[in-house]
Amino acid sequence: MDRPADMDRTPPPDPASGPALHDPLADSFPPGLEGRLLYWIAVAFSLYQIAIAAHVVSLSSQIQRALHLGFLMLLCFPLLAALRRGGPATRALAWVLAGLGVVVAGYQWAEYVPLMMRSGSLNQIDVVIGILALITTFAAAWVVMGPALPIVSGLFLVYALFGQYFPGPLVTRGYDLAQVVEQMSFGTEGIYGTPLYVSATYIFLFILFGAFLEKAGMIRLFTDVSLGLVGHRMGGAAKVSVISSGLMGTISGSGVANVVTTGQFTIPLMKSFGYRAAFAGGVEATASMGGQIMPPVMGAVAFIMAETLGVAYVEVVRAAIIPALLYFASTFWMVHLEAGRRDLRGMAREDLPSARRALREGWYLILPLAVLVWLLFSGYTPLFAGTVGLALTIMLILGASAALGLPEGMLRAIFWIGLGLVAASFLRFGNNALWTGIGALLVWNAARAGGRQTIRQVVDSLADGAKTALPVGVACALVGVIIGTMTLTGAANTFGLYIVSVGQNSLILSLVLTMITCIVLGMGIPTIPNYIITSTIAAPALLQLGVPLIVSHMFVFYFGILADLTPPVALACFAAAPIARENGLKISFEAVKVAAAGFVIPYMAVYTPALMLQDGGPMAQAVGYVPAVAYIVVKCVIAIGLWGIAVIGWFGRRLAVWERLLAAAGAVALIAALPVTDEIGFGLFLAFAALIRLRRPR
């Protein structure tokens, strides 16, 4: 991102190419006075969030959420209007809407105590402010994400207002306007509900953390390591995409953002080595979306899930780790098979960077991420872990710049040792030690020309992180309307009872119905609101059918992610389309094929919770927990392997149709988890293996 001083020289993006075609937020801040103002608003937004996380500023939870939403409104409308090159009238309207968002936030702050006293009996000004909050939130979501989520949320709002006129079991007792407005715009059950709280704390902080790591050079490190490890192997270019996108996903937590960053390198690389454009885009989209389920950071959904379930974040990570590894293993396997089918060889070793050298030169970049993981698994809160990780990354960037001003040798070594001791002191003195060290490094760097350039990069990261957080924050606010409607009307019980009634006769039908609901809702709706809607509606029903709590939520989480790969909308695939120069629908069909094995993992976890390291299930009861985990992992690996072979049609040679059907039958039998199906599945697997060996060319 260009810093403000350079904005006037920033060439406008080509509207016919690049990610800006689908995501204007991928562009830099606009040039001119307005662009500079928006840039510094974004910086102020990030500094406010850091101050809250570091407890420099202490506000009540409700006011924190209101100010977070106020900043989102202030930045969202004028920034999108400017990036889309709106006319004077459009930009004026954008600033009016931004101002209304600030008024709503200020009213929530100023009237915080009186609003609590008037709970259940709002006055006319309260109702007007509440309606303005809804209007600005709906408008912001429409501007940032398009019409899908506002339409869905609008239907729920209509149901809250006019449910007494709905037919049959959907009818409600009816609620007046003031009651609906209070539910949606005040308190903690509407737009200021749990999703916005998580956005205002964990999510923003981790997005900022990812922005700083990217600025520090993490993308280059991951890419060089991936090239060095697998670039020379068969289909190496695509395997580089899987590994680098998966690694990047661990810190970015955003599938679409991952596509438009790592995809800029990996998709052209795959095409240059003979992969079809649609397949290259599909591989990148599939791998990038998988970053949301890959610990330690995962996607923003993981934080919402932990808050919703009332469990430690590490419990969500524990449930996700094996399925995430299997997801990427299946993607890697599909890429390998496609490369074999098309005889796509790897790159020359001499043209590739050394993975060992890349790690030797850039190992220090991993330190903040390693500390973050250690803190999360040691029982610290995600907020504390994220704050420490962010502070260490800033310290690393500023420290590397400061060290360049010192002579090589003993003096520089002493500097790094001292900085390491300051960094480690947070364990004894808390975050204040880190922020004090950062303050000293800022003063040090401000005295040098190169240091001042580094400070500008830090400020750029602050602005970039706030810009990246816009879609997530706005989605978290608007989806509160859906939660508020569910809470007010009890509509979730109606749908849940239907799923339970189906599941009493067939659990698999309930799972399929839930999966279809996730995918349909995912058509144009980001993963966060998709998860919140489906977990509110379907996850409690699955729990009543005996599915463990975390497994039921992970099930809808998985298919909420896969919805971004599924036609006809497939957000991740359309983000890859301008980079691949291919139709988004074609990329989507290829992505579904690449992710085909990933569709089976949630089903296998439902029938054998040990796959997500959860107790329960007949297998664990029969043979014990550890053997159950080992058994289900082996079974899942074999099922994924057979399914990939059946879909691609290659295993050392091109397979006949009947051979592919045999592999598919074995995979389906292993997935089914019905009486005797495991035995049938293993038998078909052995038969297929023997067949391949007998028909192997001599």
Side-chain angles (χ1 to χ4, degrees):
M1 186 193 68
D2 298 318
R3 63 182 187 273
D6 297 330
M7 285 178 184
D8 292 330
R9 299 196 298 272
T10 304
D14 180 3
S17 65
L21 179 67
H22 296 287
D23 181 15
L25 290 174
D27 195 10
S28 299
F29 282 83
L33 179 62
E34 185 181 34
R36 293 187 181 92
L37 176 60
L38 291 168
Y39 176 91
W40 289 111
I41 289 173
V43 172
F45 190 6
S46 292
L47 290 175
Y48 159 75
Q49 291 292 158
I50 292 174
I52 290 291
H55 301 292
V56 175
V57 175
S58 295
L59 298 170
S60 71
S61 178
Q62 182 72 17
I63 294 174
Q64 279 186 37
R65 303 177 203 199
L67 293 180
H68 180 74
L69 185 57
F71 266 116
L72 290 171
M73 299 295 111
L74 179 60
L75 188 59
C76 167
F77 291 111
L79 179 60
L80 268 295
L83 290 175
R84 288 171 176 159
R85 298 176 179 82
T90 300
R91 295 196 181 194
L93 176 61
W95 280 106
V96 168
L97 289 170
L100 290 176
V102 173
V103 167
V104 170
Y107 188 82
Q108 289 271 8
W109 190 356
E111 293 288 306
Y112 173 57
V113 174
L115 279 170
M116 286 195 296
M117 302 299 292
R118 292 195 296 270
S119 179
S121 181
L122 300 183
N123 60 35
Q124 288 186 338
I125 297 178
D126 296 339
V127 173
V128 170
I129 292 295
I131 293 173
L132 285 178
L134 288 170
I135 290 172
T136 52
T137 303
F138 270 90
W142 192 294
V143 165
V144 173
M145 292 174 289
L149 181 58
I151 288 174
V152 172
S153 300
L155 292 174
F156 277 87
L157 186 58
V158 168
Y159 180 62
L161 289 167
F162 305 107
Q164 65 269 34
Y165 303 114
F166 277 58
L170 293 176
V171 69
T172 68
R173 65 179 180 84
Y175 307 94
D176 61 32
L177 177 64
Q179 190 173 0
V180 173
V181 168
E182 181 171 16
Q183 176 79 1
M184 303 302 172
S185 301
F186 300 96
T188 57
E189 291 186 340
I191 60 177
Y192 299 108
T194 298
L196 190 67
Y197 164 72
V198 178
S199 173
T201 50
Y202 314 147
I203 295 176
F204 191 99
L205 205 61
F206 277 80
I207 288 174
L208 204 56
F209 176 62
F212 271 96
L213 281 180
E214 288 183 36
K215 189 69 69 175
M218 188 64 89
I219 293 179
R220 180 178 180 83
L221 174 63
F222 285 160
T223 303
D224 285 351
V225 169
S226 304
L227 283 167
L229 287 175
V230 298
H232 61 285
R233 299 188 179 275
M234 184 170 65
K239 291 175 180 176
V240 168
S241 173
V242 174
I243 294 178
S244 62
S245 297
L247 291 172
M248 198 59 209
T250 63
I251 62 170
S252 72
S254 170
V256 175
N258 220 7
V259 169
V260 299
T261 50
T262 58
Q264 297 283 2
F265 167 77
T266 58
I267 292 176
L269 180 66
M270 284 185 272
K271 290 174 65 178
S272 69
F273 275 83
Y275 282 98
R276 291 171 293 118
F279 188 81
V283 169
E284 177 59 39
T286 304
S288 292
M289 291 309 299
Q292 293 190 68
I293 58 171
M294 175 59 78
V297 176
M298 301 175 66
V301 171
F303 300 109
I304 296 175
M305 187 187 301
E307 197 70 30
T308 302
L309 299 180
V311 300
Y313 179 72
V314 69
E315 291 299 315
V316 178
V317 170
R318 190 166 73 102
I321 184 66
I322 292 178
L325 293 173
L326 290 172
Y327 177 92
F328 279 101
S330 69
T331 305
F332 198 87
W333 176 239
M334 300 295 277
V335 163
H336 177 79
L337 294 174
E338 175 74 6
R341 188 169 75 94
R342 295 184 174 273
D343 195 28
L344 300 175
R345 300 297 165 182
M347 295 168 273
R349 273 186 179 273
E350 57 270 19
D351 297 333
L352 297 172
S354 165
R356 184 175 299 176
R357 180 179 177 184
L359 285 172
R360 188 170 60 247
E361 294 178 353
W363 62 270
Y364 58 88
L365 294 173
I366 304 174
L367 289 177
L369 191 60
V371 172
L372 174 72
V373 174
W374 178 76
L375 289 173
L376 288 173
F377 279 86
S378 299
Y380 290 92
T381 66
L383 187 61
F384 178 79
T387 305
V388 170
L390 175 61
L392 289 177
T393 307
I394 297 173
M395 186 176 287
L396 196 63
I397 294 171
L398 294 172
S401 174
L404 291 176
L406 298 173
E408 292 190 24
M410 183 63 69
L411 195 59
R412 192 175 291 188
I414 292 172
F415 169 80
W416 281 115
I417 292 171
L419 192 62
L421 292 173
V422 172
S425 67
F426 78 89
L427 290 171
R428 181 176 179 86
F429 302 108
N431 289 337
N432 290 337
L434 296 178
W435 299 117
T436 302
I438 289 171
L441 288 171
L442 284 171
V443 173
W444 189 332
N445 279 277
R448 297 173 48 251
R452 289 192 290 273
Q453 180 67 26
T454 302
I455 292 174
R456 291 191 191 101
Q457 290 180 351
V458 169
V459 178
D460 283 351
S461 297
L462 292 171
D464 206 28
K467 180 160 63 77
T468 304
L470 284 179
V472 177
V474 171
C476 285
L478 186 56
V479 83
V481 172
I482 297 170
I483 296 175
T485 300
M486 294 290 191
T487 307
L488 184 67
T489 64
N493 292 335
T494 304
F495 188 77
L497 289 172
Y498 176 69
I499 294 179
V500 170
S501 65
V502 171
Q504 286 174 343
N505 298 318
S506 174
L507 176 59
I508 189 68
L509 286 179
S510 286
L511 295 175
V512 170
L513 181 62
T514 303
M515 178 189 74
I516 292 172
T517 303
C518 293
I519 290 175
V520 170
L521 285 172
M523 292 181 180
I525 297 178
T527 310
I528 292 172
N530 188 1
Y531 161 74
I532 293 170
I533 296 168
T534 50
S535 65
T536 304
I537 296 174
L542 295 180
L543 181 63
Q544 290 188 48
L545 294 171
V547 180
L549 184 62
I550 288 185
V551 175
S552 64
H553 280 255
M554 289 295 293
F555 185 89
V556 299
F557 180 19
Y558 245 92
F559 286 110
I561 290 170
L562 292 173
D564 278 342
L565 304 175
T566 309
V569 178
L571 292 176
C573 299
F574 277 92
I579 307 173
R581 300 187 183 277
E582 182 56 277
N583 181 274
L585 279 178
K586 290 183 180 179
I587 293 176
S588 178
F589 286 118
E590 293 293 335
V592 169
K593 185 171 74 172
V594 173
F599 280 82
V600 310
I601 295 170
Y603 284 92
M604 299 185 78
V606 166
Y607 287 102
T608 310
L611 185 61
M612 291 185 178
L613 301 179
Q614 302 298 304
D615 295 328
M619 175 63 64
Q621 294 174 0
V623 301
Y625 176 70
V626 174
V629 172
Y631 177 83
I632 188 58
V633 169
V634 170
K635 190 174 84 159
C636 199
V637 168
I638 293 174
I640 287 171
L642 290 173
W643 191 251
I645 291 168
V647 170
I648 301 296
W650 186 89
F651 188 66
R653 60 177 173 81
R654 289 183 180 270
L655 301 180
V657 173
W658 67 271
E659 292 174 313
R660 296 171 69 176
L661 290 174
L662 178 63
V668 170
L670 289 170
I671 296 164
L674 298 172
V676 207
T677 52
D678 278 11
E679 290 82 350
I680 294 172
F682 283 118
L684 292 173
F685 164 66
L686 293 174
F688 178 80
L691 176 70
I692 292 296
R693 184 174 180 81
L694 289 173
R695 292 172 60 89
R696 184 175 58 188
R698 296 186 181 278

